[in-house]
Amino acid sequence: MGAFVQIVGSFKETLQKIFIRGELDEYEDDKQMHCNARLAEMLDKLSQDLQSSVNFSENFLVEEMQILEEANGIRLPHFFPHLVFSSLLKRRVNSVSDLPICFVNKVCGYLEIVCVRVLMDCCGSYPQLLPSMKKATQNVMGRMKIKFMERVDEMIEMEKMTDYTCDPEFIPSYNKLMGNRDLFLNSLNCLYNSSQTLNMEGYSIYVKHLNDVSENIRNQAFDLKMRMTAYWKIVLKRMVDYLALQLRFFMQQVVNKEIEAQVVNEVMVNGGGIEKMLAEPPSVAKKRERLQSSISLLKESKEIIEQVMDGIVVTSD
């Protein structure tokens, strides 16, 4: 029983070191076990993938004009309803919704691998404990993944439902983007720009396809594009921040509150008790009996040899 308690305690302490405190002393030369660094890399990759969804150059204003056309109605010109922005926002969120889900799958898979590796090291002298403890660990990580995925689904739905931010940078960012409006209009009217392209926000944008679009629709589409661009940057940052906070929260919950209780329950209840787990397997018992028989035979052989040697010595005398 004492050995089991020591194994569970060592398992939990090691996970606290590499998951929560970020200590590297036990796996200093194994980068795969440097958990905080690997998770930070995964978050950075997610952020880069999300940022790649910000694109000016492809079919400039086409999507915005399509939404404006479908939202057209009997109302004053030059004004588009909030429904237009909401519809575009839903499209944008749906277009990147797979990325957070893939992130959760990747992170949870990695954390489970780390947990099992630590568990195998802790159970080195008691391999018979490994199956039950591994099963308990995988169950805990599986539940964490389900909860994490639920939070991600909620995050995606919330972003689609409400367009809101208290970020003070939204208005300045929008105004800066709208400052490109004159450049945009000039590129359409410029007789010397045969290719009709302009550089905006580091992108080379082709605008010739907008020549036949009415000025009202074109201006509204440009405004909608700039509003969404300013807001979309905030949405992407919010997604990454939310995922990082949720990840750290679930890691704390698993290590400090769940995994120890689950392991003990699996071994003591579902596994039939620690005595049964540490009981000698039949195969080992048979080997032990054979070894004991061999030892007894060797002892008898030794006694016989000693008697023979004593007889030889007496005869010589």
Side-chain angles (χ1 to χ4, degrees), residues 102-305:
C102 291
F103 171 77
V104 172
N105 286 326
K106 185 176 181 180
V107 164
C108 291
Y110 167 72
L111 292 178
E112 183 175 323
I113 290 173
V114 172
C115 284
V116 172
R117 166 72 184 281
V118 172
L119 186 59
M120 292 175 66
D121 292 341
C122 292
C123 292
S125 300
Y126 297 90
Q128 60 269 48
L129 290 174
L130 183 59
S132 292
M133 295 182 71
K134 182 178 179 180
K135 179 181 178 182
T137 301
Q138 290 173 332
N139 288 340
V140 171
M141 299 307 296
R143 287 198 297 270
M144 181 192 114
K145 180 179 178 180
I146 292 173
K147 292 178 183 178
F148 201 174
M149 201 68 77
E150 289 174 352
R151 297 292 184 274
V152 170
D153 291 338
E154 290 173 356
M155 175 193 73
I156 292 171
E157 290 304 313
M158 286 189 292
E159 292 294 354
K160 289 192 290 187
M161 286 180 181
T162 307
D163 48 300
Y164 170 78
T165 180
C166 62
D167 192 331
E169 291 300 315
F170 171 67
I171 297 299
S173 177
Y174 166 69
N175 290 335
K176 179 183 177 183
L177 290 167
M178 286 300 293
N180 294 302
R181 185 172 179 273
D182 290 341
L183 178 65
F184 167 63
L185 295 177
N186 290 336
S187 67
L188 289 173
N189 300 325
C190 183
L191 298 176
Y192 302 101
N193 187 1
S194 58
S195 62
Q196 288 195 302
T197 60
L198 73 152
N199 292 317
M200 184 186 300
E201 298 297 312
Y203 296 93
S204 180
I205 301 171
Y206 180 74
V207 296
K208 188 175 182 179
H209 61 287
L210 301 174
N211 282 332
D212 297 330
V213 179
S214 69
E215 182 180 358
N216 179 39
I217 294 296
R218 195 167 57 202
N219 290 341
Q220 288 188 50
F222 186 84
D223 181 88
L224 179 59
K225 178 82 170 181
M226 299 307 111
R227 286 179 188 271
M228 179 55 67
T229 300
Y231 182 64
W232 189 238
K233 294 177 182 179
I234 294 172
V235 170
L236 298 183
K237 290 179 183 177
R238 189 159 58 202
M239 283 185 177
V240 176
D241 289 346
Y242 181 87
L243 289 170
L245 293 174
Q246 287 291 332
L247 174 59
R248 293 297 296 175
F249 172 76
F250 282 125
M251 288 171 64
Q252 294 267 357
Q253 289 287 104
V254 165
V255 175
N256 292 333
K257 296 183 178 181
E258 297 181 16
I259 201 161
E260 183 178 21
Q262 181 66 31
V263 167
V264 171
N265 180 71
E266 182 65 32
V267 173
M268 301 300 290
V269 179
N270 299 334
I274 190 65
E275 291 80 9
K276 182 179 178 180
M277 295 295 298
L278 295 178
E280 189 176 59
S283 59
V284 175
K286 290 181 180 179
K287 290 181 180 179
R288 179 173 53 79
E289 290 176 0
R290 287 199 297 268
L291 287 172
Q292 288 177 342
S293 298
S294 298
I295 291 172
S296 298
L297 182 60
L298 287 171
K299 286 181 178 180
E300 292 176 3
S301 300
K302 179 184 177 183
E303 292 175 357
I304 294 172
I305 291 173

